[in-house]
Amino acid sequence: MKIPPIARILSIDDEEDYRRLVRLILEPYGCEVLEGGSVAEAKRLLKKGPLDCAILDINLPDGSGFDILKMIREDDGLSHIPIMMLTIRQVPVDETKALETGADDYMVKPFEPDELVARIRKFLKHRI
Amino acid sequence: MKSLLCIEDDADIQELISRTFYDRRVLKAFNAPDGIHLAFEHDVETILLDINLPGVPGQQAISVLKENPRTREIPLIVMTGLYRDPQTNIQCLELGADDFVLKPFSPEALRARVEAHLRRKMWSGKIVGGNGARGALQCHGGCISLSPDSHGVTLVRAHKTLKSIPLAPLEMNLLRSLMEERGRVVLYRRLLESLHHGRYRRSSLRAISKLAERLKRKILPCQDHIQTVYGYGFRFFCPEDEGHSS
């Protein structure tokens, strides 16, 4: 029997290395990580079934992580998903803006893998 | 009136917090025991906790506040020094803290973080049925229904009630935990934590398997709904849920 994932996580980042890092960190905990590098790919992935959490970069080639954040929060079917902004920009204004726009957490790259797991574990109510 | 509790030994930071949250009542404590006492005595909606406190350390305060049912659900944000070992911050999250901010922090960003936690807490309350109250549960096939107040389960087939079965509290909690996460595997560790009030005991693994077996025997016509995923845990599965998964 194929074991269903414990959680499905959307990871959007234009840097492939960071996407791979997030996947390598979360997959051993039984998470399925859906990866994309742009707003357009995020739109496509959001239609691919239920999600438990989203990790979004802010700088994307065809827009910003804020566009995806708003898209999720304005969609009745998706608005409950916990969202973490994961970005290289350590700007308090950005952090405030992200949290006020509807993000649940804001983390700066580079990050500690254990910290990412601990924060995602909170979102998933200790399922992982 | 709901309050924000700040447990911090530095009077300047206390003052900064009071100014940042000028529109709320801010309760101040300068050490962990006083802070815990205030959290138990008042209607607190958020706790800000310095980790480096005189006497009882902040980590111990996290454990006490997150183990007590009265304060467990209150968002707890740890304030910590920038140059502290990152493992200390992670340990705080693992002990149950909901977030941490590094000092020096931006007051606006701290305010936004507190708001984000309160918003998420409100949403989680809605998802499980308002104010954290646990609502009725039913699988989409409609064959098992668990009402919020009763101490049993009702089995239904083809719109006819097959029978109502009384369940023991632990069996009830197990079934509820699985139905709340229907379609997904619920890990042994998480079940143990929710069934044994947050205490994880490796010796309880056998007990939980026996509990699941007992529950399956009781709901015999629908026993296939509880699947054992060996080495991981259990999942509640209803074939008719497939099209409705949310």
Side-chain angles (χ1 to χ4, degrees):
Chain A
M1 184 176 76
K2 187 176 173 262
I3 297 169
I6 289 163
R8 294 179 89 223
I9 295 172
L10 177 71
S11 165
I12 302 295
D13 200 310
D14 59 337
E15 285 179 73
E16 203 194 333
D17 287 345
Y18 269 111
R19 288 206 305 267
R20 195 165 58 207
L21 181 63
V22 167
R23 179 161 48 81
L24 288 175
I25 294 170
L26 295 174
E27 268 183 357
Y29 290 89
C31 299
E32 181 186 347
V33 181
L34 309 177
E35 291 177 32
S38 61
V39 177
E41 280 179 39
K43 271 187 192 167
R44 184 177 57 80
L45 291 168
L46 284 170
K47 290 178 190 145
K48 284 182 81 178
L51 284 172
D52 296 284
C53 171
I55 302 173
L56 309 176
D57 184 17
I58 292 184
N59 286 324
L60 295 169
D62 57 346
S64 135
F66 287 118
D67 300 335
I68 309 171
L69 172 63
K70 281 187 197 145
M71 211 177 344
I72 295 177
R73 287 293 176 248
E74 283 166 8
D75 185 322
D76 285 344
L78 300 169
S79 61
H80 64 281
I81 299 174
I83 299 175
M84 171 189 279
M85 303 305 279
L86 183 61
T87 169
I88 210 125
R89 302 204 284 199
Q90 189 166 21
V91 189
V93 179
D94 262 358
E95 181 177 349
T96 311
K97 185 182 165 194
L99 294 166
E100 284 178 349
T101 315
D104 298 285
D105 206 344
Y106 183 95
M107 217 167 95
V108 178
K109 295 185 240 177
F111 56 86
E112 284 285 322
D114 288 348
E115 186 185 336
L116 179 73
V117 173
R119 288 186 181 272
I120 296 292
R121 187 175 277 156
K122 291 261 158 217
F123 281 165
L124 301 177
K125 300 199 188 305
H126 295 268
R127 283 214 307 270
I128 63 167
Chain B
M1 183 185 178
K2 291 232 173 194
S3 318
L4 180 139
L5 169 63
C6 178
I7 311 176
E8 162 69 72
D9 61 331
D10 187 329
D12 290 342
I13 294 180
Q14 285 277 16
E15 181 58 32
L16 175 66
I17 300 284
S18 296
R19 279 195 209 167
T20 306
F21 296 94
Y22 59 89
D23 52 350
R24 283 165 215 232
R25 186 168 147 217
V26 178
L27 300 170
K28 294 179 185 175
F30 291 86
N31 58 51
D34 287 356
I36 292 166
H37 179 72
L38 285 175
F40 288 165
E41 292 297 309
H42 293 83
D43 197 3
V44 174
E45 64 173 1
T46 318
I47 301 172
L48 299 177
L49 170 74
D50 180 22
I51 206 69
N52 208 5
L53 290 167
V56 181
Q59 285 93 333
Q60 213 165 321
I62 301 174
S63 305
V64 173
L65 291 166
K66 286 296 175 185
E67 276 174 18
N68 191 297
R70 192 173 151 71
T71 49
R72 190 187 293 156
E73 302 297 328
I74 305 173
L76 190 158
I77 302 175
V78 170
M79 300 182 289
T80 151
L82 181 56
Y83 299 106
R84 279 200 85 88
D85 172 15
Q87 287 306 323
T88 311
N89 305 335
I90 295 158
Q91 184 201 12
C92 291
L93 293 177
E94 284 173 352
L95 281 171
D98 296 280
D99 202 348
F100 64 81
V101 290
L102 299 178
K103 290 181 196 169
F105 48 78
S106 136
E108 290 79 21
L110 178 65
R111 223 185 129 87
R113 271 197 187 262
V114 167
E115 298 293 345
H117 279 285
L118 292 174
R119 197 172 53 217
R120 174 125 303 268
K121 191 185 163 201
M122 198 178 76
W123 283 353
S124 319
K126 273 187 192 161
I127 291 164
V128 295
N131 290 331
R134 300 180 127 196
L137 285 165
Q138 191 173 33
C139 54
H140 286 290
C143 35
I144 294 187
S145 107
L146 205 58
S147 53
D149 306 316
S150 75
H151 297 287
V153 61
T154 308
L155 304 183
V156 185
R157 186 155 286 173
H159 305 292
K160 279 173 128 180
T161 303
L162 280 179
K163 51 183 161 181
S164 293
I165 302 160
L167 293 180
L170 272 182
E171 294 162 352
M172 187 81 181
N173 285 344
L174 174 64
L175 184 59
R176 190 172 276 283
S177 302
L178 296 177
M179 286 181 79
E180 280 174 348
E181 301 287 345
R182 56 173 162 245
R184 298 195 183 99
V185 181
V186 184
L187 299 182
Y188 287 123
R189 192 192 62 203
R190 186 158 168 259
L191 286 172
L192 286 169
E193 283 170 354
S194 66
L195 297 179
H196 293 287
H197 307 289
R199 290 185 197 284
Y200 171 69
R201 289 175 298 185
R202 196 161 284 276
S203 61
S204 318
L205 279 176
R206 267 178 64 82
I208 208 154
S209 300
K210 283 191 171 171
L211 177 68
E213 287 305 317
R214 214 160 52 227
L215 175 63
K216 280 165 98 170
R217 276 201 301 276
K218 281 198 178 175
I219 58 165
L220 199 56
C222 302
Q223 61 166 333
D224 295 345
H225 285 52
I226 296 175
Q227 297 180 335
T228 307
V229 183
Y230 289 100
Y232 287 87
F234 299 95
R235 83 167 175 150
F236 184 89
F237 175 78
C238 176
E240 294 183 44
D241 273 358
E242 285 294 86
H244 298 78
S245 54
S246 56

